[in-house]
Amino acid sequence: MRRATDEGRDTRALEALESNVRIYSRVFPAIFSRARGSIMLTECGRKIIDFFSGAGALNYGHNNHEIKAAIVEYLDSDAVVHGLDMATTAKLEFLKAFDSIILQERDLQYRLQFTGPTGANAIEAALKLSRKVTGRKNVISFTRGYHGMSLGAIAASANHFYRVGSGVSLSGATFMPYDGYLGPDVDTAEYLRNMLLDKSSGVDCPAAILVETVQGEGGINVASKEWLRSIQAVAKDTGALFIVDDIQMGCGRTGEFFSFEFAGLSPDIVVMSKSLSGYGLPLSMLLVKEELDAWQPGEHTGTFRSNNLALVSATAAINIYWRDQTFSQGVHRTGELMRSRLEIIASEHGNGFSVRGRGMALGFDCQTAEIAEATTRKAFEKGLMIERCGPDDQVVKFLPALTIDHEILDQGLKIFDESLAETRKSGWRYNA
Ligand SMILES: *Cc1c(COP(=O)(O)O)cnc(C)c1O
């Protein structure tokens, strides 16, 4: 096993060789070597509980052995790994499993479009298709929304730091207030409706309305069922496509496979990525209503679409976890457990702390960036990996694997509680 001094030397090598843009190696300063389920191991043997799950790309945990078995078997048989978007056995099996286990069970009908491997690639495809279908240019997106780092996706994302960093003038999106943005008494869906139905409101007719049902990066802001239904109705009434970005909140994160099921929505396009492959392999796709599948063959393309290894793990994940309700019910139960524990922590500490979220996507609002930052830093020192989100990074974001063992969940929550207590104690001393 390597010692801490080796790790220090390796960290310096990393700092010298890797671009300054690196971020998570700063937030979580360690060199990770192995991982399984909800535990990551560092080179010098430290165990870290993972409440971050690769920003939601590891809903079924690290190196899930049941899913891994399918990949290993596939590799071992010299089956096709890369085949552009050619028809392969792996693709056919994924299409059939996704259609029967996920779509038909929910009375949904979609064509599947495989895009480039990242979430941003899929967002670009969704926006491009909306513009093509409607002949319109503008897109409605929401305050605090996040959709990725390519220019079209940043244009529809609210974060100031990322927008400025793009270095060009971003166009093609109009921002509207998300649910609750103007306080509990303002129905921002009604506001959007008025703006879009008024031809002289100054907002160009949109090709699409792009929404997250829970804003993951934006601070775990939760949209209500009623609000989401109203937004869908506004899209319909104004001839815009209704797009749900389910990249982070999909694949079971909120309890059901799709984060919009609870509201009974029927989006025109659903964007999927992150946990879709089930194994942290890059795989992204759009679900597109058949009548909107207006592409010419090859009109939107890319080298790495529907990577077969990722399709094999995606098929395994669907088969293992989504054939019946058991897994989904477990996510709801674990989510409620986490929420009640976090609510107790919030009320014990007072200080205006609050908890929000759905399913196993929960946010602990620390009110100030300083408390959230110090708490997550202390938590990492104590062996818990947890990230922050929100406009000022003031919200601690709980995204454990949906498969997490309750004992490990408990240990992680305890570390969070202790870290918060220590942060508050030291802050109190500084103020005194
Ligand atoms: C992560 C994320 C994206 C972007 O995905 P990348 O793979 O990082 O390009 C888009 N939308 C949401 C909601 C996300 O969480």
Side-chain angles (χ1 to χ4, degrees), residues 118-120 123 146-148 212 217 245 247-248 273-274:
T118 71
I123 291 288
Y146 179 75
H147 304 288
E212 298 157 85
E217 299 304 299
D245 177 347
I247 291 175
Q248 187 164 154
S273 181
K274 290 208 165 93

Side-chain angles (χ1 to χ4, degrees), residues 361-383:
L362 295 176
F364 188 100
D365 195 329
C366 295
Q367 305 296 332
T368 73
E370 291 73 25
I371 295 181
E373 200 274 330
T375 302
T376 51
R377 192 162 26 82
K378 274 187 212 298
F380 188 69
E381 285 162 14
K382 291 171 182 289

